[in-house]
């Protein structure tokens, strides 16, 4: 099945837009490329904007088809930066606490801080409106870390008061948008109407300022962090041509996507992710449309595999941010969010029809690198992140393991597609807990200084 037929199932809108803008290049139809999208947005910012967000969602979902990986099964370093970070502060709960490890407890008294009426919730993620059978129960599960106090739901009004004159940038793919929406809805719920300005700070896809507090949050959409676009062989030949490449994607490992290039120096707090678009063979087909890596404007020879390209991109993007970040800026990298396709991948009838979290044994069965299952990429991506971030000024926000239990928290068939969405998360839902962890982490840094 080619990428195009998959797309026809799910993304009619996207095809018609691309055709209008890029008639001469039929392959761009299926690309969802950051560059193509930027061009379109510039030309017609206002009217296309909601549609593009939708496309972003659809395309990520589509592109995660046979997301399999063959890299080594070396073990991941078991550290949580929150833990190591606070090791000196004996009075702080963080000193003795690793929030990444624990269990989920059902708590009927727990209530979500926002509901299904929050307008930022993307339709496919609104599981209460989508009538998901456990949509209302999702927020009742509480993460209980091992060996430390409960992770509490942060108080949005306290947060607004504590973080005045602060700007927070989420940079990454639709899973970072999912986390951004959760933070927006939580903060929005605590204030009255008319105190929020919607705008696009520093090239963001979307952003808001809570005016009374001068707190800004923004989402910068980028799939690979690095800039990329279509590439075709030149008639005059060249290094890549001599390897037999005819078509592909040029990925500039040392150039950030323009959607976030200015974000690095704009925000006081930055939270990055990438991972879902790497090894997405329906887009970056190893034969028909491979990733071709460029550095300093020249092709990297010999050509790299995507996992090697990821290492190079991470290295360059991390130093790009470190060189430009504001003095005292908090730089965070979020670990990979797990998918929960069972019984096949998304395009093979895979589903996630569960109404409660899965057990620790089931988690290992689904995600251990050794088992090489449908969703194996999550821990593999983390290995690359850990390697690249070692020695950097970034903190790691490790949400992977706690999310691995939550096969019940994806939109599944309530996502309104022909296929189950076992990748994004329902809202309200688990990314609320990611933000609790995020805020806990920010507070621990604030109190340390
Ligand atoms: C993992 O499984 C995929 C197919 O599902 C296969 O192509 C790949 O070679 C396997 N990787 C390893 C390391 O066994
Ligand atoms: C995240 O936390 C889990 C559970 O403690 C751990 O096994 C894993 O190695 C951690 N991953 C990273 C990237 O820190
Ligand atoms: C959810 O259920 C309500 C009440 O039965 C119905 O009106 C609505 O159309 C349903 N929504 C979806 C997305 O199925
Ligand atoms: C609002 O906050 C930003 C930091 O996000 C700061 O640069 C700016 O000066 C603040 N504006 C006012 C009016 O205090």
């Amino acid at each position: 099945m080619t990428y195009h037929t998959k797309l026809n199932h799910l993304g009619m809108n996207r095809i018609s837009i691309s055709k209008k803008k890029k008639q001469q290049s039929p392959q761009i139809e299926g690309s969802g490329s950051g560059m193509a999208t930027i061009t379109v947005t510039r030309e017609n910012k206002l009217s296309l904007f909601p549609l593009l967000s939708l496309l972003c969602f659809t395309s990520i979902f589509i592109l995660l088809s046979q997301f399999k990986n063959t890299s080594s099964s070396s073990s991941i370093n078991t550290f949580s930066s929150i833990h190591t970070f606070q090791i000196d502060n004996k009075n702080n709960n963080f000193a003795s606490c690793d929030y990444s490890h624990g269990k989920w407890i059902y708590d009927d008294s727990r209530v979500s801080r926002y509901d299904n009426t929050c307008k930022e919730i993307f339709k496919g993620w609104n599981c209460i409106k989508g009538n998901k059978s456990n949509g209302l129960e999702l927020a009742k599960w509480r993460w209980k870390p091992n060996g430390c106090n409960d992770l509490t739901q942060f108080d949005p009004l306290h947060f607004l008061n504590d973080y005045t004159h602060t700007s927070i940038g989420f940079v990454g793919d639709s899973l970072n948008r999912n986390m951004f929406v959760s933070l927006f809805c939580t903060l929005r719920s605590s204030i009255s109407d008319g105190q929020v300005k919607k705008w696009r700070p520093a090239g963001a896809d979307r952003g808001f300022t809570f005016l009374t507090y001068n707190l800004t949050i923004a989402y910068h959409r980028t799939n690979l962090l690095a800039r990329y676009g279509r590439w075709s062989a030149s008639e005059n030949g060249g290094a890549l041509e001599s390897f037999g490449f005819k078509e592909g994607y040029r990925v500039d490992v040392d150039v950030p996507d323009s959607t976030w290039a200015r974000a690095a120096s704009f925000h006081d707090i930055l939270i990055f992710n990438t991972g879902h678009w790497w090894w997405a063979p329906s887009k970056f087909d190893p034969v028909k449309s491979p990733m071709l890596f460029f550095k300093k404007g020249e092709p990297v020879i010999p050509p790299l595999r995507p996992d090697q390209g990821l290492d190079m991109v991470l290295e360059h993007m991390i130093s790009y941010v470190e060189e430009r970040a504001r003095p005292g800026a908090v730089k965070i990298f979020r670990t990979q969010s797990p998918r929960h396709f069972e019984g096949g991948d998304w395009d093979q009838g895979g589903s996630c029809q569960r109404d409660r979290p899965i057990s620790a044994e089931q988690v290992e069965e689904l995600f251990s690198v050794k088992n090489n299952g449908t969703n194996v990429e999550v821990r593999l991506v983390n290995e690359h992140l850990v390697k690249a971030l070692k020695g950097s000024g970034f903190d790691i926000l490790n949400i992977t393991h706690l999310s691995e239990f939550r096969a019940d928290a994806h939109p599944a068939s309530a996502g309104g597609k022909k296929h189950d969405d076992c990748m994004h998360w329902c809202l309200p839902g688990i990314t609320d807990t990611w933000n609790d962890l995020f805020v806990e982490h920010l507070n621990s840094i604030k109190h340390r200084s």
Side-chain angles (χ1 to χ4, degrees):
M1 206 199 231
T2 69
Y3 181 68
H4 283 232
T5 44
K6 284 172 190 167
L7 197 68
N8 281 326
H9 269 321
L10 298 168
M12 297 310 290
N13 289 338
R14 140 178 291 272
I15 287 171
S16 59
I17 282 223
S18 310
K19 270 192 180 145
K20 220 162 51 194
K21 297 293 173 194
K22 293 272 174 188
Q23 263 152 354
Q24 75 283 22
S25 162
Q27 261 152 321
I28 205 85
E29 285 176 16
S31 82
S33 124
M35 294 186 74
T37 307
I38 293 161
T39 321
V40 173
T41 353
R42 283 216 190 99
E43 285 168 23
N44 200 351
K45 245 179 226 167
L46 290 175
S47 60
L48 288 179
F49 198 55
L51 184 53
L52 285 167
S53 312
L54 175 68
L55 298 182
C56 162
F57 164 80
T58 350
S59 50
I60 280 250
F61 183 61
I62 292 161
L63 293 173
L64 288 187
S65 55
Q66 305 87 14
F67 207 94
K68 300 279 165 64
N69 194 292
T70 55
S71 85
S72 77
S73 57
S74 64
S75 66
I76 303 170
N77 286 354
T78 51
F79 79 89
S80 146
S81 70
I82 292 171
H83 180 59
T84 46
F85 222 63
Q86 282 298 309
I87 210 90
D88 295 328
N89 186 347
K90 295 281 185 288
N91 298 324
N92 193 308
N93 187 29
F94 277 85
S96 56
C97 179
D98 179 355
Y99 276 84
S100 68
H101 206 266
K103 60 172 184 287
W104 288 96
I105 293 171
Y106 189 80
D107 178 354
D108 206 27
S109 67
R110 193 176 158 94
V111 284
S112 174
R113 288 154 292 186
Y114 63 95
D115 63 20
N116 57 319
T117 61
C118 176
K119 291 201 177 67
E120 264 301 286
I121 303 178
F122 177 78
K123 191 163 163 254
W125 305 342
N126 198 326
C127 294
I128 298 174
K129 279 199 181 148
N131 295 338
K132 190 169 194 253
S133 62
N134 64 339
L136 283 164
E137 274 163 52
L138 289 174
K140 301 222 176 270
W141 292 92
R142 170 163 58 85
W143 178 244
K144 173 79 182 80
N146 286 347
C148 46
N149 297 340
D150 283 8
L151 178 64
T152 50
Q153 289 175 298
F154 79 87
D155 181 312
L157 210 48
H158 279 168
F159 183 80
L160 288 165
N161 278 307
D162 285 353
Y163 291 86
T164 53
H165 309 300
T166 305
S167 184
I168 304 177
F170 290 81
V171 179
D173 58 36
S174 62
L175 274 298
N176 241 17
R177 179 173 165 196
N178 195 290
M179 182 179 179
F180 160 82
V181 173
S182 154
L183 182 60
F184 171 79
C185 293
T186 305
L187 297 177
R188 185 75 186 78
S189 69
S190 68
I191 58 160
S192 54
D193 285 342
Q195 298 175 352
V196 184
K197 177 178 105 178
K198 185 169 182 173
W199 63 302
R200 304 178 65 190
D205 186 65
R206 49 220 303 109
F208 300 93
T209 296
F210 294 85
L211 294 170
T212 313
Y213 307 91
N214 188 25
L215 171 78
T216 297
I217 66 173
Y219 166 63
H220 299 262
R221 182 192 164 213
T222 174
N223 299 332
L224 303 177
L225 297 182
R227 182 180 76 186
Y228 70 98
R230 293 296 316 194
W231 177 90
S232 333
S234 148
E235 281 178 11
N236 306 325
L240 290 170
E241 287 83 348
S242 70
F243 279 88
F245 290 109
K246 295 193 166 56
E247 293 285 335
Y249 285 93
R250 168 179 171 153
V251 183
D252 284 278
V253 300
D254 48 359
V255 183
D257 230 344
S258 62
T259 51
W260 71 272
R262 285 191 294 129
S265 56
F266 183 89
H267 300 290
D268 307 292
I269 298 168
L270 290 154
I271 175 157
F272 289 85
N273 96 297
T274 193
H276 292 278
W277 288 66
W278 295 87
W279 306 286
S282 49
K283 178 186 173 77
F284 301 112
D285 183 289
V287 178
K288 287 191 222 122
S289 53
M291 289 180 163
L292 301 166
F293 297 97
F294 281 65
K295 190 175 158 179
K296 294 193 174 134
E298 298 292 331
V300 178
I301 301 295
L304 307 176
R305 295 191 315 262
D307 63 320
Q308 298 169 315
L310 170 61
D311 289 340
M312 228 185 221
V313 164
L314 287 172
E315 181 195 324
H316 283 94
M317 296 303 111
I318 287 164
S319 45
Y320 177 89
V321 174
E322 297 205 311
E323 281 160 25
R324 285 164 187 81
R326 293 181 166 200
V330 177
K331 305 174 291 293
I332 295 176
F333 221 104
R334 177 176 65 65
T335 61
Q336 182 75 352
S337 173
R339 306 182 305 145
H340 287 90
F341 287 96
E342 293 182 77
D345 213 323
W346 70 273
D347 56 345
Q348 303 158 345
S351 66
C352 43
Q353 300 289 334
R354 293 188 179 263
D355 56 11
R356 48 188 302 121
I358 57 177
S359 69
E361 291 72 33
Q362 289 167 320
V363 162
E364 285 317 301
E365 205 180 305
L366 266 186
F367 297 109
S368 88
V369 170
K370 196 162 54 80
N371 286 354
N372 190 27
T374 305
N375 313 289
V376 69
E377 81 284 352
V378 55
R379 293 186 182 182
L380 294 173
V381 167
N382 283 354
E383 291 178 10
H384 289 268
L385 296 182
V386 166
K387 192 167 76 176
L389 293 165
K390 199 166 267 173
S392 76
F394 279 73
D395 304 334
I396 293 182
L397 188 71
N398 185 355
I399 53 77
T400 300
H401 189 56
L402 65 91
S403 309
E404 285 175 343
F405 292 93
R406 299 306 303 275
D408 59 319
H410 297 285
S413 46
K417 304 229 150 32
K418 285 189 178 155
H419 308 272
D420 273 18
D421 181 355
C422 303
M423 177 171 73
H424 298 96
W425 302 101
C426 297
L427 292 171
I430 188 180
T431 51
D432 304 338
T433 299
W434 296 6
N435 279 312
D436 291 334
L437 202 61
F438 174 49
V439 170
E440 195 80 54
H441 183 64
L442 294 179
N443 289 343
S444 80
I445 295 170
K446 211 177 161 114
H447 295 144
R448 187 188 43 187
S449 52

